[in-house]
Amino acid sequence: MPLRNRVDPFGHIHAVPEHGELMGNRGCLHGDARNLLREHGSYKAWISCNLVRGDRRQTLMAPGLYTQLFFRDEATAMAAGHRPCFECRRTHAKAFVAAWGDAHGVTDPRVPQVDAILHAERLGPRPAYDGRKLPDGAMIGTADEERSWLAWRGTFRPWSFAGYGPAETPSGDLVLLTPPSMAATIEAGYKPAVHASVTALP
């Protein structure tokens, strides 16, 4: 039985077989029985990490330690509000913070500043999607949190834990899932990694 530690673009955590290409955390969310007690807390530094970190081996959901979470790809992690980790994804993290600074007119932005803004965006209401062109890697979803899509080369690809489907036209009341400051960071040049299913289909 899979542990409940797979994250969707809305930031919700599920128990599904698909593993994903990135790991991350948002603090300790589980109990001693490796049962999820909550989906988030006051911890602000939500990060995405490499699945493999040298020769380090980890016990999933060890008592009292952080809860390892898994994402289909980086676009999913960013939609859920997770930035790159400075320890195991340092090159990506530096590129992300540099693009974040360019997007917001901030010279040499500090990581706690970025985390504080992202935390506020995660807690606040999602902005309605107004139909504007989005940068590749940003995501939208339905307000009822039933479906989500990746913006890719002028199209929208439906998301699932297994990957992305053929392009389609999103319908319903739509909201921007990727936090606004992250969407602006992608617009400024940061390129989130996406699952291979995006390029496998026309």
Side-chain angles (χ1 to χ4, degrees), residues 36-202:
L36 202 71
L37 303 177
R38 54 191 173 276
E39 290 196 329
H40 61 82
S42 59
Y43 190 74
K44 295 181 181 179
W46 292 21
I47 57 175
S48 60
C49 303
N50 293 328
L51 288 179
V52 178
R53 305 177 72 178
D55 60 357
R56 184 185 307 179
R57 289 186 172 273
Q58 300 185 45
T59 300
L60 291 180
M61 293 188 174
L65 299 181
Y66 70 85
T67 304
Q68 295 95 338
L69 302 173
F70 297 91
F71 309 95
R72 175 66 284 166
D73 57 11
E74 188 173 21
T76 306
M78 291 181 71
H82 290 248
R83 62 162 174 82
C85 170
F86 263 91
E87 180 182 348
C88 65
R89 302 186 67 218
R90 189 168 184 81
T91 299
H92 295 84
K94 291 174 69 175
F96 173 84
V97 171
W100 194 96
D102 290 343
H104 299 89
V106 178
T107 302
D108 193 23
R110 302 288 87 186
V111 174
Q113 174 189 18
V114 175
D115 287 339
I117 290 173
L118 285 173
H119 190 63
E121 290 178 335
R122 290 189 295 257
L123 295 178
R126 293 187 177 96
Y129 172 58
D130 58 9
R132 67 184 175 92
K133 187 177 186 303
L134 294 175
D136 290 354
M139 298 190 73
I140 63 172
T142 53
D144 62 9
E145 302 187 346
E146 289 295 321
R147 300 197 68 202
S148 55
W149 295 265
L150 172 79
W152 189 256
R153 297 180 181 174
T155 69
F156 286 100
R157 301 295 187 91
W159 178 94
S160 75
F161 280 104
Y164 298 95
E168 62 182 39
T169 301
S171 60
D173 294 328
L174 302 175
V175 295
L176 180 65
L177 296 186
T178 308
S181 67
M182 278 193 168
T185 300
I186 297 172
E187 189 84 59
Y190 184 77
K191 300 185 184 303
V194 295
H195 186 251
S197 55
V198 170
T199 55
L201 294 170

